[in-house]
Structures are given as C-alpha cells and as structure tokens.
C-alpha cells in the first residue's frame, strides 16, 4: 500500500527522530547509508517534507535535519499524503478507475474493512508513536 517513496520518507523520519535533535542535526548523506536510501532521492524527499513542516532543517555549517515536538506529532497519513497524494491509499488495488462501493472490483469487499482500518491507524498514529515503540522494544529499526 505504501510507495517506495513513502517507505523511504517514514524510515528517514524515524532515523532522524532516533539520532538527531535541534542541537545535533543530521545530514541526508548520513541517513542514506544506514537506511539504504539513495542520497539524491532522500534529499528530495526531505526537502518536500521540510516544505510541509514535517521535518525541520537548518542550512549551512552545522546544518541538517531534526524533528521538533510538533514534527513528531504529525499523523502518519499526512506524511503519506505529502509524498504520494491522496490517491494512493484510496485507489483500487487492481487500479480500476471506476471501482467504488457502487461498482466494486473483485477485491473491493475483501480488503475494504482492513484498508479502512489501516487508514484509520495512519490517521491516529504519528512518528512519535513509532519511535516510542522502538524505544520500548515493541518494534525495531535496524540502524
């Protein structure tokens, strides 16, 4: 359900949340290796996220990326929407343009409830929640 770009964005934000702070910023090149994300691609994603206030950055010597408390509270769905737009999560799994409740595709009813639950979880959770899970040992981010 996530595009590669969205996966990269979430991984990068998690890495930043775990390894940077306002006084200890991190560069895109320092994220790309451990997270296995092409540097130029990552830089573009982080610029897009920065424009939408989902990651904070400072240019110049001592610059880099970090997350503020407000950045940590951004719902995951907003991150996905910035990267992929609204259509990715709302699109038909078979990529049919006229799939909806009135004219469902063959998979529509099979994934309908689970897809709605997934979207609801993205609306209710933020990067901070994922970071808490990592810090508490409920999940891992290999770095």
């Amino acid at each position: 359900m996530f595009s590669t770009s969205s996966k990269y964005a979430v991984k990068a934000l998690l890495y930043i949340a775990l390894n940077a702070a306002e006084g200890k910023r991190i560069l895109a090149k320092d994220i790309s290796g451990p997270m296995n994300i092409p540097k130029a691609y990552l830089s573009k994603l982080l610029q897009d996220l920065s424009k939408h206030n989902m990651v904070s950055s400072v240019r110049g010597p001592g610059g880099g990326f970090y997350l503020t408390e407000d950045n940590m509270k951004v719902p995951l769905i907003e991150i996905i929407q910035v990267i992929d737009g609204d259509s990715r999560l709302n699109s038909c799994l078979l990529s049919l343009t006229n799939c909806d409740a009135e004219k469902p595709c063959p998979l529509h009813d099979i994934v309908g409830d689970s897809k709605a639950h997934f979207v609801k979880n993205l609306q209710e959770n933020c990067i901070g929640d994922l970071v808490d899970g990592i810090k508490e040992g409920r999940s891992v981010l290999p770095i």
Side-chain angles (χ1 to χ4, degrees):
M1 285 188 129
F2 285 152
S3 69
T4 299
S5 297
S6 287
K7 290 176 193 176
Y8 285 169
V10 171
K11 283 183 1 178
L13 291 176
L14 288 170
Y15 188 88
I16 293 167
L18 293 166
N19 294 286
E22 188 169 356
K24 181 187 171 214
R25 299 171 199 103
I26 192 162
L27 301 172
K29 70 177 185 174
D30 298 323
I31 301 166
S32 66
M35 292 289 93
N36 196 25
I37 305 170
K39 183 181 164 278
Y41 196 49
L42 175 61
S43 295
K44 182 189 175 307
L45 290 172
L46 289 173
Q47 286 173 0
D48 287 347
L49 293 170
S50 181
K51 286 180 195 174
H52 289 88
N53 299 315
M54 295 181 182
V55 64
S56 297
S57 65
V58 173
R59 291 179 176 254
F65 296 95
Y66 65 98
L67 297 181
T68 64
E69 282 188 40
D70 287 341
N71 299 143
M72 296 282 278
K73 294 177 185 173
V74 173
L76 295 170
I77 191 127
E78 291 182 24
I79 297 165
I80 305 307
Q81 288 170 331
V82 163
I83 301 301
D84 291 337
D86 288 326
S87 63
R88 183 80 181 200
L89 292 173
N90 297 320
S91 65
C92 171
L93 288 178
L94 295 178
S95 299
L96 302 177
T97 56
N98 61 349
C99 175
D100 59 24
E102 299 290 317
K103 297 178 190 170
C105 77
L107 293 176
H108 190 88
D109 291 332
I110 293 172
V111 298
D113 290 339
S114 59
K115 192 173 177 182
H117 181 70
F118 179 64
V119 169
K120 183 177 185 238
N121 280 327
L122 292 174
Q123 293 167 337
E124 295 175 353
N125 288 278
C126 59
I127 289 292
D129 296 323
L130 300 181
V131 168
D132 289 345
I134 294 167
K135 288 181 177 178
E136 293 168 6
R138 291 183 280 121
S139 58
V140 296
L141 183 69
I143 44 178

